[in-house]
Amino acid sequence: GFELVKIIKGHPLFKESCVVMLSGSKMKKDIDISKENGSNYYLVKPFGKQETIAFVDKINSIFTELIDAR
């Protein structure tokens, strides 16, 4: 995933694309690497009902932010 983000953001056609990294890891090191490689957002996969609801709310917020920015 980290390398793919780097490749996507390094390509002229896709460097302005929004990349959302979805991972099972909450480790700060992984979040930092993701950001360093160009991801715009880092989301941790939900594993329970409350986490899933919060996850869906976060996805909705990201898309709303992207739409409002255009």
Side-chain angles (χ1 to χ4, degrees):
F2 300 128
E3 286 300 314
L4 182 57
V5 171
K6 195 178 210 177
I7 291 168
I8 291 169
K9 290 300 229 177
H11 192 285
L13 291 175
F14 303 112
K15 69 180 182 179
E16 298 300 321
S17 296
C18 178
V19 175
V20 179
M21 179 70 108
L22 179 60
S23 175
S25 173
K26 295 180 182 179
M27 294 175 44
K28 182 174 176 0
K29 177 187 83 156
D30 291 336
I31 296 168
D32 291 344
I33 291 171
S34 176
K35 296 289 185 180
E36 288 168 11
N37 287 350
S39 71
N40 301 88
Y41 299 93
Y42 185 95
L43 300 175
V44 178
K45 294 176 190 175
F47 295 102
K49 182 178 179 182
Q50 288 304 108
E51 288 177 314
T52 301
I53 291 169
F55 179 79
V56 170
D57 288 343
K58 182 63 179 177
I59 292 288
N60 186 43
S61 173
I62 288 170
F63 281 107
T64 300
E65 182 180 319
L66 291 171
I67 289 168
D68 290 347
R70 290 183 180 247

